[in-house]
Amino acid sequence: MAEDWDNLLILDACRYDYFERLNTIDGTLYKASSKGKKSWDFMRENFAVGAFHDTVYVTANPFSTDLDEDTFYHIDHLHADRWDEDIGTVQPDDVVSAAIEAHEQFPNKRLIVHFMQPHRPYLGETADELRRRLDLQGYGRHDEGIQIWGAVKQRDVTFQEIRDAYTESLEIALDHVEELLEKVSGKSVVTADHGEMLGERVFPFTSRVWGHMEGFSTPTLREVPWLVIEADDRREIRSSDPIESERDLDDDEIADRLEALGYAD
């Protein structure tokens, strides 16, 4: 929060190496070290340490409900009213539209925009094929199916399919990030809350590690992109008393959202 930006765009579970390979957005790319290997760790260490009443947080990540409501000037919990029941996530185009609305409504605030992608459930052709082939838990209302990591561990899904699905989901997210950057003024940074393990082995263990919830803290989980997009036109940022953020979901519904995203493994 102490860094110089007007817009901070967060990709959820985005690895530095995949971002470096796939990104086509003009800017200066650095490798940063995240303070968390999962979303709540990231939020707790970056956001829960102070009050940022010059900032609006537009987020698709349900862990935002664990933050005090006066942490930011305003929090727009997109998982409350823009949740895609068919896929089990918030689509990136809905994040973009909400962010543009927030930028227009609060032109003198810094803006944090937290996309849920490339975090599973993945988007794209490969992910659609996996959903057609398997009953994947967490996708839509599939409560009894198998988790994606369980499917790959029992070889119902190949390593390449997982990595293709992750790649396509990141490409889709980056397209929407680029669209948003064209609509907001000021200096922007594109980053991630943490990375993702995609079957790498962690020495000295012999089993492969998937996701970011297995207790490991690895460079792959901690290394995130920090892409700086400079701007001549900077916003005049002002701090003011926070306004109430709507939270239309109860705790059980929030738990369901988190489970759909794989946080109940």
Side-chain angles (χ1 to χ4, degrees), residues 87 118-123 126-139 142 144-166 196-199 209-214 259-265:
I87 301 297
H119 192 289
R120 60 175 176 145
Y122 300 129
L123 306 178
T126 301
D128 289 342
E129 171 57 29
L130 294 179
R131 283 190 283 274
R132 285 191 292 267
R133 199 169 81 213
L134 299 169
D135 181 19
L136 293 175
Q137 182 180 344
Y139 289 79
H142 293 198
E144 304 300 326
I146 189 171
Q147 285 281 359
I148 188 69
W149 304 139
V152 73
K153 288 174 184 177
Q154 66 185 33
R155 300 185 179 182
D156 291 330
V157 176
T158 68
F159 289 3
Q160 192 59 51
E161 285 176 319
I162 284 286
R163 291 163 183 167
D164 287 346
Y166 181 88
E196 186 83 313
M197 299 295 290
L198 294 174
V209 181
W210 301 92
H212 52 277
M213 296 297 291
E214 296 193 41
E259 183 176 4
L261 295 166
Y263 283 107
D265 289 5

Side-chain angles (χ1 to χ4, degrees), residues 187-234:
K187 179 180 179 179
S188 298
V189 169
V190 183
T191 188
D193 53 353
H194 56 80
E196 186 83 313
M197 299 295 290
L198 294 174
E200 293 83 7
R201 290 188 171 92
V202 179
F203 182 83
F205 304 101
T206 58
S207 60
R208 296 181 182 274
V209 181
W210 301 92
H212 52 277
M213 296 297 291
E214 296 193 41
F216 295 100
S217 180
T218 68
T220 300
L221 292 176
R222 296 284 186 171
E223 292 174 355
V224 295
W226 187 265
L227 178 68
V228 179
I229 301 103
E230 299 286 352
D232 295 329
D233 181 20
R234 299 296 301 273

